[in-house]
Amino acid sequence: MTIRKILTEPNKILREKSLRVENVNKDIQQLMDDMLETLYAAPGIGLAAIQVGVAKRVIVMDISRSRNDIGRDEKEDKEPKNPMYFVNPEIVWKSEDKFTYEEGCLSVPNQFAEIDRPKQCHVRHLDYNGDPQELKAEGLLATCIQHEIDHLEGILFIDYLSKLKKEMIIKKLSKQTKESVERIVV
Ligand code: ZN
């Protein structure tokens, strides 16, 4: 397994629409293994393939590593890992009820904002072995899968914010990227 580089906004690749996977073969499983390792190393709770520069409809998640737990090393060691794999995920139903969660994103580092999304959703997808599954998700799990499916369409959570707020965040991130490039040059 290899830790891959996570792309950060602003980056045009993050805005690409990902393509359907025709066949869950060894290459796709290798991609999922790498993505999961990248997710745990970050650390984060969800990652879409486009975030490591691969425009395929593939997502890995592990919400047992939710933000409240990160930093508590002891708990992380004891808590069993619960990886979830989604290939070609499709939301087939979503509730009218909304749920608000303070979202972050590995591609939008250190930025958080409250986002409303349907509280429950049903997702049809293929699993790690290419078998069809349907997940009934609620709360954080529903938020996370909707956030990740947005990535497959080139959508980031900051797109739901006001134009002003979104521009402020992108400006901040552009500055961070510039600074890190300068640091490497020096
Ligand atoms: Zn994200």
Side-chain angles (χ1 to χ4, degrees):
M1 287 200 271
T2 317
I3 294 175
R4 303 208 189 185
K5 189 182 178 313
I6 298 175
L7 306 178
T8 55
E9 175 81 347
N11 185 317
K12 278 187 189 146
I13 294 170
L14 290 170
R15 299 310 190 166
E16 281 180 22
K17 210 174 153 174
S18 296
L19 302 171
R20 281 181 75 81
V21 172
E22 293 303 327
N23 185 8
V24 183
N25 55 23
K26 285 257 175 310
D27 289 344
I28 295 294
Q29 288 177 334
Q30 177 71 56
L31 172 66
M32 289 192 273
D33 292 343
D34 287 356
M35 284 169 63
L36 194 71
E37 183 152 341
T38 306
L39 179 70
Y40 287 142
I45 61 171
L47 189 70
I50 194 69
Q51 293 179 272
V52 293
V54 179
K56 292 198 166 106
R57 301 185 85 81
V58 175
I59 289 165
V60 298
M61 283 170 31
D62 188 341
I63 64 162
S64 72
R65 260 78 189 140
S66 68
R67 190 143 43 94
N68 293 339
D69 296 339
I70 290 168
R72 283 199 240 155
D73 291 344
E74 209 178 299
K75 192 171 181 225
E76 266 176 47
D77 287 345
K78 280 179 199 159
E79 201 93 336
K81 286 183 175 153
N82 184 23
M84 301 174 91
Y85 306 91
F86 300 87
V87 177
N88 299 336
E90 254 175 86
I91 296 177
V92 292
W93 177 82
K94 48 192 173 186
S95 67
E96 298 276 316
D97 282 8
K98 301 281 192 241
F99 179 74
T100 308
Y101 191 78
E102 192 182 31
E103 293 187 26
C105 179
L106 293 173
S107 293
V108 188
N110 304 317
Q111 305 298 320
F112 299 93
E114 285 193 347
I115 307 290
D116 289 339
R117 296 185 190 267
K119 190 178 181 186
Q120 291 141 330
C121 65
H122 295 178
V123 182
R124 240 174 243 161
H125 62 100
L126 302 176
D127 64 16
Y128 189 86
N129 298 311
D131 294 324
Q133 304 287 348
E134 188 167 325
L135 173 80
K136 291 180 178 163
E138 190 178 342
L140 175 60
L141 181 60
T143 291
C144 191
I145 187 71
Q146 291 174 74
H147 173 121
E148 299 311 327
I149 290 174
D150 273 355
H151 275 300
L152 307 183
E153 300 300 321
I155 299 166
L156 298 174
F157 80 95
I158 52 172
D159 298 349
Y160 297 109
L161 303 175
S162 69
K163 206 174 163 224
L164 188 69
K165 246 188 190 168
K166 181 179 162 179
E167 276 171 5
M168 258 169 58
I169 289 177
I170 292 178
K171 218 170 141 186
K172 239 188 251 175
L173 293 172
S174 309
K175 215 177 139 210
Q176 279 173 16
T177 309
K178 204 171 154 246
E179 277 168 5
S180 63
V181 168
E182 277 167 7
R183 232 173 278 143
I184 291 163
V185 170
V186 170

